[in-house]
Structures are given as structure tokens and as C-alpha cells.
Amino acid sequence: MALEITDATFDEVVLKSDKPVVVDFWAEWCGPCKMLGPTIEELAGDFDGKVVVGKVDVDANQDFASQYGVRNIPTVLIFQNGEVVGRQVGVAPKQTYVDQLAKLL
């Protein structure tokens, strides 16, 4: 299951991770975010133990969304060693994320 990441936990969970991290920036009211949700959960299961998969509710946690220039949601950022190595704005097929993660493993 995808982790709930907050502004308070972002640094520890995302930036200091020794594994690649997928971060889904979303909001409860966002229709496309709800469409992407099951894909994010599948990624969390498929890559369990190899990749950290989490979600940031941008309504409650705006600091890092702002810092990383998240203007539209859903936006999925992929981090490795504390750096953004991938960005997908909008809903994309699961394979898009799988392909990006496969390059990092």
C-alpha cells in the first residue's frame, strides 16, 4: 500500500531514501487523481521492498508540492538519491511508471 507522505515526513521518507521513491501529488477533489490511485497502489505492491511508493495530499501539504513546481495534479515525481529523476503530469498508463522504475533498479 502507498505511504501517506506529509510535509513533516517528506525529507525522511523521500529525500533520504536509499531506494527509488515514487511520489503521487494528488487531492481528494481531483477526478484524474482518483483514476490514477489504483495504479499507484498496484505499483506499491509490484515494487514492494524495491521502491518506496507514496502519496502527498497537496491540500494538506503544500510545501514540497510548491518546492518541486507541482502546478497540476496528479503529478508523479520519481526520486533517486534525493533528486528528481522522473516527472509525469496527468494520468498515464501503468507501464509508463514501470518503465521509468525499471531503469533505476
Side-chain angles (χ1 to χ4, degrees), residues 1-44:
M1 188 168 157
L3 297 169
E4 183 177 326
I5 301 172
T6 65
D7 286 341
T9 62
F10 195 93
D11 190 56
E12 192 65 36
V13 173
V14 179
L15 301 180
K16 294 181 179 173
S17 177
D18 59 351
K19 298 175 182 152
V21 184
V22 175
V23 182
D24 174 22
F25 290 88
W26 73 288
E28 189 64 43
W29 49 264
C30 166
C33 299
K34 290 180 180 177
M35 288 171 44
L36 182 60
T39 299
I40 296 299
E41 293 299 332
E42 285 178 28
L43 291 172

Side-chain angles (χ1 to χ4, degrees), residues 4 8 49 54 80 82 84:
E4 183 177 326
Q80 186 166 38
V84 176

Side-chain angles (χ1 to χ4, degrees), residues 44-84:
D46 293 352
F47 288 92
D48 188 36
K50 294 181 248 170
V51 175
V52 176
V53 179
K55 299 170 69 89
V56 174
D57 182 340
V58 297
D59 286 337
N61 303 279
Q62 299 175 357
D63 292 354
F64 286 95
S66 174
Q67 183 176 328
Y68 288 101
V70 174
R71 305 265 182 270
N72 301 300
I73 54 173
T75 292
V76 175
L77 299 182
I78 300 177
F79 290 81
Q80 186 166 38
N81 301 320
E83 300 292 322
V84 176

